[in-house]
Amino acid sequence: MSRLMEKPTEYVLCNALSSCAKTMNWHFGVQIHANMIRSGYENNMFLSTALVDFYAKCFCIVDAKKIFRAMKVHDQVSWTSLIVGFSANKLGREAFLLFKEMLGTRIRPDCFTLTSVVNACVGENGVVNPCSSLHVHVIIRGFDTSNFVISSLVDCYASCGRIDDAVLLFNETNEKDTVIYNTMISGYCQNMYSEDALKLFVEMRGKNMSPTDHTVSSILSACSRLAVLVEGKQVHSLVIKMGFENVFVNGALIDMYSKGGDIDEARSVLDQTSRKNTVLLTSMIMGYAQCGRSLEALEFFDYLLTEQKLIPDHVCFSAVLTACSHAGFIDKGEEYFNKMITDHGLSPDIDQYTCLIDLYARNGDLRKVRDLMEEMPYDPSFIIWSSILSACKIYGDVELGREAANQLIKMEPCNAAPYLTLAHIYARQGLWNELSEVRSLMQQRVKGKSAWSWV
DNA sequence: ACCCGATGTC
């Protein structure tokens, strides 16, 4: 090894760095960087670009930026590498700003650049998602024939809720490949257009295009949203016929069966999965919790911990706490919550606090709800206040109910639900003046508006 | 030589 590393060529170092980037092998990559400096290759643009890519993929975005800024010359690839780097580090805005900076140079973006910057903007819900202006660049540069660019644009439109624009672009694209179909199907699913997702799947089959494992995982999640077990089972047959079994597909199958009410079939899919991961096991626990088989959820979790050496994550504890909440197991819920911190070294995020608050609230222990809200390092969310408000309705707590309703109204002034629940609480206690106040407030604000009209 | 697209759990 040392002989090989004495006089490596630029070509060797470049490929080695690229491998380190792909495998996220930081330790080896920094040694190559050191070797590169020793060998006097610091000004090699290809190597510097590979370094940018390597550091970014290892989540050392600061180092990636430093290397990029120190470069004397750039080409399309080096610009694109840092854009991809920002994107991989969830810095979509910075990726977009870098793209704009690139437009000011004499280097023109190519389809790699455009795919990458569009992809970086997927899920960016900032002030305005720039998909339209990127789309303009795509058209100007004539990249609207590239399936890579089109599929990332479809995804970008769909991910920021502009499903109509996604459909428009999808429909006007002539040579649609499987990935574009998959992207559109997944876009429909993300936006809750589950029926349209199924329709497009049927269209795809009618055109004799072969579905992939990606197609079926989206379609299965559409089936689980629609709770259509019959269609879901047909897709399951297809999965077996085509041999699509992987963790994603099996995860979607488990979810489809448990949401469709056939928890035992979900378990049978899980048992047939050879490489089980925390996600699949969490789906299963959540499945038991949501169909009211809380004891089985907890037994299964305890079995996995002791016998299968499961390393639970935050989501897994949400599933366990949901099981406790649905069954009213207060002591067990507190025990799991504490064990999460002490035995598993996880600091609870707002979702687990939400589960525990919901557990207390459903059981009418509103004192503990208040204490936990004081203690937790998060601002109470809409979900938390909603679960408190429904508890106040059941247990007749006017004071806390009023506070919860006011918080909810502040967050979503045009949503009628909190006004109605508060009115219900007032009516139960015979507080007629308060009742008419909240009623007229609701009429002023909610009347004739949809729940989302303030957006 | 270096950079690009989609999928699953709360």
Side-chain angles (χ1 to χ4, degrees):
Chain A
M1 158 118 169
S2 62
R3 272 183 72 85
L4 275 176
M5 293 296 284
E6 269 167 32
K7 276 189 179 173
T9 60
E10 291 107 311
Y11 177 85
V12 167
L13 290 184
C14 206
N15 281 311
L17 271 175
S18 167
S19 304
C20 292
K22 287 190 179 80
T23 55
M24 298 206 272
N25 189 337
W26 183 81
H27 284 283
F28 198 45
V30 287
Q31 287 176 44
I32 296 171
H33 188 182
N35 196 304
M36 195 182 128
I37 294 168
R38 275 203 301 278
S39 309
Y41 295 147
E42 269 187 286
N43 292 322
N44 181 308
M45 184 178 64
F46 292 120
L47 270 174
S48 298
T49 300
L51 267 181
V52 169
D53 181 47
F54 158 73
Y55 279 120
K57 294 261 163 75
C58 292
F59 304 111
C60 303
I61 190 67
V62 177
D63 296 309
K65 254 196 284 195
K66 227 183 268 172
I67 302 283
F68 179 84
R69 292 299 173 194
M71 289 169 71
K72 293 194 181 79
V73 277
H74 294 110
D75 64 357
Q76 281 114 326
V77 180
S78 59
W79 283 98
T80 306
S81 295
L82 191 55
I83 289 172
V84 172
F86 281 134
S87 175
N89 286 269
K90 307 224 182 291
L91 298 166
R93 211 187 126 66
E94 296 208 46
F96 181 66
L97 292 175
L98 191 69
F99 173 73
K100 288 219 290 197
E101 189 186 332
M102 179 186 181
L103 292 178
T105 70
R106 52 172 197 84
I107 310 290
R108 295 295 92 203
D110 60 11
C111 36
F112 283 75
T113 319
L114 280 156
T115 306
S116 308
V117 69
V118 171
N119 190 33
C121 295
V122 169
E124 279 294 299
N125 297 325
V127 195
V128 180
N129 188 300
C131 30
S132 302
S133 68
L134 291 172
H135 194 171
V136 171
H137 283 286
V138 167
I139 294 169
I140 289 172
R141 307 212 61 80
F143 294 137
D144 47 351
T145 51
S146 155
N147 281 341
F148 280 80
V149 177
I150 297 300
S151 61
S152 59
L153 261 178
V154 168
D155 188 35
C156 197
Y157 278 127
S159 78
C160 63
R162 295 173 59 177
I163 192 71
D164 294 343
D165 291 314
V167 173
L168 213 59
L169 178 58
F170 177 81
N171 285 339
E172 71 188 20
T173 301
N174 293 320
E175 308 264 315
K176 293 192 268 282
D177 64 6
T178 310
V179 174
I180 295 185
Y181 266 93
N182 287 352
T183 310
M184 193 65 243
I185 287 173
S186 139
Y188 276 136
C189 290
Q190 284 168 38
N191 287 275
M192 308 289 176
Y193 291 96
S194 306
E195 291 97 336
D196 296 275
L198 291 185
K199 269 187 218 156
L200 201 56
F201 177 61
V202 172
E203 180 186 316
M204 204 179 161
R205 304 228 68 199
K207 285 189 169 178
N208 256 334
M209 296 180 82
S210 294
T212 68
D213 50 345
H214 291 101
T215 325
V216 294
S217 15
S218 296
I219 286 303
L220 285 168
S221 96
C223 292
S224 90
R225 287 244 177 74
L226 296 168
V228 284
L229 210 50
V230 178
E231 285 79 357
K233 279 184 176 166
Q234 287 173 9
V235 181
H236 190 178
S237 316
L238 184 72
V239 165
I240 295 167
K241 202 172 99 188
M242 307 281 284
F244 282 150
E245 305 195 7
N246 63 35
V247 277
F248 299 112
V249 172
N250 284 12
L253 276 172
I254 291 168
D255 192 46
M256 186 271 293
Y257 279 119
S258 64
K259 294 227 171 71
D262 195 342
I263 192 74
D264 297 314
E265 189 60 34
R267 179 60 187 266
S268 144
V269 172
L270 179 76
D271 288 339
Q272 285 163 38
T273 308
S274 47
R275 284 185 60 238
K276 302 176 183 59
N277 64 18
T278 307
V279 172
L280 295 187
L281 299 169
T282 301
S283 285
M284 194 65 230
I285 296 168
M286 193 53 107
Y288 281 126
Q290 281 168 341
C291 75
R293 286 160 62 166
S294 298
L295 260 180
E296 278 163 275
L298 299 181
E299 278 169 10
F300 188 52
F301 177 69
D302 289 334
Y303 160 77
L304 292 171
L305 275 189
T306 52
E307 308 292 324
Q308 301 293 315
K309 307 286 172 249
L310 167 79
I311 298 173
D313 61 8
H314 287 87
V315 183
C316 196
F317 276 101
S318 292
V320 171
L321 292 169
T322 301
C324 295
S325 178
H326 287 186
F329 297 152
I330 294 205
D331 296 343
K332 271 197 171 305
E334 287 176 337
E335 190 188 318
Y336 283 118
F337 189 85
N338 293 329
K339 273 191 178 164
M340 169 181 182
I341 303 162
T342 54
D343 295 7
H344 301 281
L346 296 167
S347 83
D349 64 33
I350 191 161
D351 288 334
Q352 291 80 52
Y353 279 107
T354 305
C355 292
L356 197 55
I357 287 172
D358 188 56
L359 170 59
Y360 290 145
R362 280 166 190 259
N363 284 279
D365 200 337
L366 298 172
R367 243 204 89 74
K368 280 194 171 169
V369 167
R370 281 181 188 278
D371 291 346
L372 193 58
M373 289 220 297
E374 289 289 316
E375 187 191 309
M376 71 174 185
Y378 301 97
D379 289 332
S381 64
F382 194 87
I383 301 172
I384 289 179
W385 285 121
S386 302
S387 102
I388 293 170
L389 183 59
S390 9
C392 293
K393 179 182 161 189
I394 297 166
Y395 297 100
D397 187 320
V398 176
E399 201 192 322
L400 187 58
R402 185 182 356 240
E403 190 188 343
N406 284 337
Q407 294 288 346
L408 290 167
I409 288 165
K410 217 192 278 172
M411 292 180 199
E412 291 190 10
C414 298
N415 187 339
Y419 299 95
L420 293 171
T421 312
L422 186 59
H424 188 101
I425 293 171
Y426 286 147
R428 272 284 191 78
Q429 305 289 323
L431 298 166
W432 308 116
N433 291 335
E434 286 86 345
L435 172 61
S436 74
E437 254 173 54
V438 69
R439 188 179 282 155
S440 69
L441 200 63
M442 180 179 87
Q443 276 162 357
Q444 279 168 35
R445 292 192 187 156
V446 182
K447 201 178 167 190
K449 294 179 185 169
S450 88
W452 292 277
S453 63
W454 80 93
V455 175

